[in-house]
Amino acid sequence: MNIVLLGAPGAGKGTQAAKLVEEQGLCHISTGDILRAAVKDQTPLGVKAKGFMDAGELVPDDLIIDLMKERMEQPDTDKGVILDGFPRTTTQAVALDSMLSELGRPLDAALLIDVDSEVIVTRLTSRRMCRECGNIGSAADGETCLKCGGEMYQRDDDNEETVRNRLDVYDKSTAPLIDYYHGKDLLVKIDGDRDPQVVFTDVVSALGL
Ligand code: ADP
Ligand code: ZN
């Protein structure tokens, strides 16, 4: 099964993806995680991407498409992928269609996790992430990762100004993909403004898992 996750930043895509991986053994590909690792390691990609990410802007399509072509060719994608943070523009969606058709693997669904933008601003500005394992938590959980004991930190792009810019970018560049996938009869919409476990129950039934 190959799935695209759609939804604003902070809608809960990463959380739902982690649950799908745990229960369905799908291969989770998060372009945000790949880019953050590249920035941390100061690879050529990371050096090019950092400024865009800190400003809440999209990294240019050609960089992302090259990155994803390489990633999709790795053998662990055989068992099916859950794409989190890609595609984010129509150009990327068209590129994904041709990658998948070359690999002979059709897309099964585009899952939209729908959350109101004011809810998102509150969620993201209080969001914390583990430096060691990437676990997502909230400022209210304290400074230590509940999973691995690592340090919880605030992402550079989770301040209010950058969050508002990311939401604008989402509305302009990524929201049109909702129509794109609706037109292909692949869109599945889930109300994301509920407890993550309740959202997941809906995801599982919507995907017929
Ligand atoms: P979120 O969904 O919380 O905004 P991500 O972790 O998916 O965050 O992405 C963080 C940043 O990485 C984005 O704001 C953007 O700069 C960059 N990025 C990630 N995926 C893409 C993509 N497919 N195209 C362009 N930029 C991307
Ligand atoms: Zn951790």
Side-chain angles (χ1 to χ4, degrees):
M1 171 158 242
N2 298 291
I3 302 165
V4 163
L5 282 178
L6 291 177
K13 300 187 296 290
T15 305
Q16 296 304 319
K19 288 180 188 291
L20 281 167
V21 170
E22 216 172 281
E23 297 200 8
Q24 303 289 328
L26 297 177
C27 172
H28 179 201
I29 302 179
S30 157
T31 43
D33 287 349
I34 296 172
L35 291 168
R36 275 184 292 280
V39 169
K40 191 174 167 199
D41 296 342
Q42 298 185 319
T43 67
L45 170 69
V47 170
K48 284 183 209 145
K50 184 175 178 5
F52 296 104
M53 295 172 73
D54 286 348
E57 298 292 335
L58 293 182
V59 173
D61 283 335
D62 53 343
L63 289 179
I64 298 288
I65 290 168
D66 284 351
L67 160 89
M68 280 303 296
K69 270 193 191 142
E70 210 174 289
R71 184 64 188 87
M72 288 298 291
E73 277 164 12
Q74 286 170 31
D76 63 340
T77 60
D78 278 8
K79 54 192 176 203
V81 292
I82 169 129
L83 300 179
D84 168 7
F86 177 89
R88 250 180 166 91
T89 62
T90 307
T91 307
Q92 293 180 18
V94 171
L96 174 64
D97 286 343
S98 61
M99 281 179 225
L100 288 172
S101 78
E102 261 173 46
L103 293 165
R105 298 188 207 141
L107 195 62
D108 298 282
L111 196 66
L112 170 63
I113 305 181
D114 197 31
V115 180
D116 181 78
S117 52
E118 281 315 306
V119 176
I120 296 274
V121 174
T122 315
R123 270 194 197 180
L124 286 183
T125 50
S126 61
R127 176 164 79 172
R128 298 293 181 270
M129 188 181 248
C130 174
R131 274 196 205 284
E132 305 306 322
C133 76
N135 180 32
I136 311 270
S138 143
D141 302 334
E143 284 161 25
T144 310
C145 173
L146 300 172
K147 279 205 179 139
C148 80
E151 185 201 352
M152 298 298 280
Y153 78 109
Q154 182 173 42
R155 271 172 44 176
D156 294 341
D157 58 354
D158 276 349
N159 62 78
E160 180 155 352
E161 191 192 343
T162 308
V163 164
R164 295 215 179 259
N165 193 35
R166 283 157 64 203
L167 286 172
D168 284 347
V169 169
Y170 174 78
D171 284 338
K172 280 198 204 91
S173 303
T174 310
L177 295 183
I178 296 170
D179 282 342
Y180 181 86
Y181 287 115
H182 182 65
K184 290 178 178 281
D185 215 15
L186 290 172
L187 189 72
V188 177
K189 184 169 157 181
I190 306 275
D191 172 9
D193 193 6
R194 296 172 299 162
D195 179 81
Q197 195 55 47
V198 177
V199 175
F200 188 60
T201 308
D202 260 18
V203 167
V204 168
S205 74
L207 293 176
L209 297 171

